[in-house]
Amino acid sequence: MVRMRDDLDIRVDEPATGLVIVRVAGEIDILGAPLLRQCVDDRLPGACAFVLDLSGVTFFGAAGISVLVEASAAAERLRVNWALACPPAVLRPLQVTDLARRLPVCSEFPEAVRVATAASPVLS
């Protein structure tokens, strides 16, 4: 599945049963955040492990922070293990808001996959 705007590209992969990877590139601003929110809302239910790969994000605004807070609450409610791969453009706003301590933040994609799949009996 691919969702695109001129400044945002969202791709979904399911490389293993129960593992959902959402790869995002571009700008997550007030215009792009609703696309990401919809993608997370569509794909999180039913996943055993969920990785949000933000490695390609070049701008991350307040609307993106809102999406991550909502994703975290939904993952907890649905009991889905998840993790974020965050570049500096995303990590800095998460540190400033202290969310980097509360969200499953990883600096690299492989680490995010390990964190998300470690506690899943289906994927471990």
Side-chain angles (χ1 to χ4, degrees):
M1 176 176 101
V2 177
R3 294 178 188 212
M4 295 173 49
R5 287 181 6 108
D6 289 343
D7 55 356
L8 183 65
D9 180 35
I10 301 173
R11 298 179 186 271
V12 178
D13 297 318
E14 294 186 39
T17 302
L19 173 60
V20 176
I21 298 171
V22 176
R23 297 178 189 271
V24 184
E27 300 178 2
I28 301 177
D29 55 13
I30 198 159
L31 298 174
L35 288 174
L36 179 57
R37 178 177 284 113
Q38 186 62 54
C39 183
V40 170
D41 289 349
D42 290 347
R43 304 305 241 162
L44 193 57
C48 295
F50 188 86
V51 175
L52 191 51
D53 181 7
L54 303 175
S55 300
V57 172
T58 55
F59 175 83
F60 189 75
I65 290 172
S66 176
V67 172
L68 296 186
V69 169
E70 291 172 13
S72 181
E76 185 176 333
R77 187 174 56 256
L78 296 166
R79 294 191 168 107
V80 175
N81 300 312
W82 79 298
L84 302 161
C86 296
V90 176
L91 186 56
R92 182 68 181 138
L94 295 181
Q95 289 171 330
V96 168
T97 58
D98 205 34
L99 286 170
R101 293 187 210 212
R102 296 182 19 217
L103 299 176
V105 172
C106 303
S107 58
E108 301 288 332
F109 174 73
E111 178 189 7
V113 172
R114 281 192 303 278
V115 167
T117 60
S120 174
V122 174
L123 297 166
S124 299

